[in-house]
Amino acid sequence: MDISLKNIMACEGADFSEDQSVLFRFFGFIRGQVPPDPQAGTTASVSVRQLAEQLEGDHIHLNVIRVGFDALGDTALQDALIELDYSIYRIRNIYRPRGIGVGRTLHWFITSDDSDGLDTIGDTGDARDLWRSWSVDNNGIDAFVVRSISGFFGLSPVDGDCDKGGKSDGCLAGGVDRDDEGLSRTFAHEVGHFLGEEHNHGNNNCPNTNAGRRNLMAQTGCVPFLSDGTTRDTRNSVNLTSAQGNRMDDHECIRGGC
Ligand SMILES: [Zn+2]
């Protein structure tokens, strides 16, 4: 396959008028770098060819909206931006086996003052207020990331609305008070809800099988522990069945190939 990055980015509606790196414009990494892999001895890597091939097939567009990061100190801010980039890196890898690409990824920012207190989320009502108060007027899924969330990890309508202005037109994709693996799994999980997936278990129980507990759509509290007995294996609990992938692929937010 001959890759024309320019043609693909034009098709994606990505802005290549400015002198910015491919890692920022094409992959959507806010730092313009591949994020570090938090697992010792593992190096994250990306492939232009692989992403280009993905964008020839079904894919989503994302708006990553960071909320109140201006209230973070310098070190915490750098850590938070790495967490965002790792979440973008991971959602591509998690969705790829099911033939769903993640294309144009744009970054947006709401200041702590403008957020009117919604940069730290205290309950699910706050989460809904956030995505109902703000939206990006384009065809991407609005994924809000806040400084912290109390009592839960993220929230999304099941079967979100890609036309903006409705009550279900965004999701709370997580908080940067988590570790990288935890936030990135929640990010992909919430977008999974947005694309129409329910949990793979009832409200008050977890899946019976190990495979079920390692599914992306199991709640974090169902994910098996690592050998330390206290940390959940969020890194390796991100599988999607073919049935789940097929349902997500039928969602109205899915865009056809470039
Ligand atoms: Zn959930």
Side-chain angles (χ1 to χ4, degrees):
M1 163 184 141
D2 290 328
I3 296 174
S4 166
L5 209 51
K6 191 174 174 186
N7 288 349
I8 291 168
M9 289 175 61
C11 168
E12 285 289 279
D15 177 12
F16 50 92
S17 59
E18 292 176 47
D19 183 22
Q20 291 162 326
S21 77
V22 167
L23 288 168
F24 177 80
R25 292 176 303 166
F26 190 52
F27 287 91
F29 295 136
I30 192 168
R31 296 163 65 246
Q33 301 172 40
V34 179
D37 192 309
Q39 180 158 290
T42 307
T43 304
S45 65
V46 296
S47 157
V48 170
R49 174 176 293 272
Q50 186 179 56
L51 180 54
E53 286 172 353
Q54 282 263 281
L55 300 186
E56 290 192 318
D58 291 349
H59 63 278
I60 57 172
H61 289 166
L62 273 182
N63 296 307
V64 180
I65 306 167
R66 55 195 198 278
V67 186
F69 282 25
D70 54 314
L72 294 168
D74 287 347
T75 304
L77 175 60
Q78 284 310 308
D79 289 347
L81 297 180
I82 288 172
E83 286 199 59
L84 288 189
D85 282 349
Y86 188 65
S87 295
I88 293 163
Y89 171 76
R90 286 288 286 169
I91 192 174
R92 282 210 177 93
N93 288 349
I94 292 167
Y95 285 13
R96 183 181 302 115
R98 293 302 167 210
I100 298 171
V102 178
R104 192 192 66 210
T105 298
L106 300 176
H107 290 273
W108 308 85
F109 180 55
I110 300 169
T111 65
S112 182
D113 277 355
D114 284 349
S115 76
D116 203 14
L118 296 178
D119 49 348
T120 60
I121 297 290
D123 56 39
T124 56
D126 283 353
R128 292 187 181 90
D129 282 349
L130 183 60
W131 75 64
R132 288 173 185 174
S133 301
W134 302 83
S135 67
V136 181
D137 186 18
N138 66 19
N139 55 26
I141 296 173
D142 291 352
F144 294 84
V145 179
V146 297
R147 287 211 311 282
S148 67
I149 304 173
S150 302
F152 59 111
F153 293 133
L155 191 73
S156 175
V158 173
D159 188 8
D161 186 354
C162 268
D163 294 327
K164 300 300 170 65
K167 286 192 166 183
S168 305
D169 64 352
C171 66
L172 176 61
V176 292
D177 53 338
R178 306 275 302 288
D179 67 294
D180 298 27
E181 300 289 9
L183 172 60
S184 62
R185 181 180 188 274
T186 293
F187 192 100
H189 174 103
E190 300 308 337
V191 174
H193 280 315
F194 200 89
L195 293 174
E197 279 309 293
E198 307 264 6
H199 290 143
N200 65 338
H201 55 89
N203 278 337
N204 298 311
N205 56 14
C206 286
N208 295 322
T209 64
N210 190 51
R213 297 163 82 99
R214 290 191 175 280
N215 187 277
L216 179 66
M217 297 317 297
Q219 285 186 294
T220 302
C222 298
V223 169
F225 287 110
L226 290 166
S227 54
D228 68 8
T230 56
T231 313
R232 304 236 177 228
D233 189 10
T234 45
R235 181 184 180 95
N236 298 303
S237 301
V238 293
N239 303 315
L240 288 166
T241 66
S242 57
Q244 289 172 318
N246 290 341
R247 276 195 302 267
M248 290 164 64
D249 199 16
D250 283 340
H251 194 268
E252 59 162 345
C253 293
I254 297 285
R255 311 187 55 74
C258 277

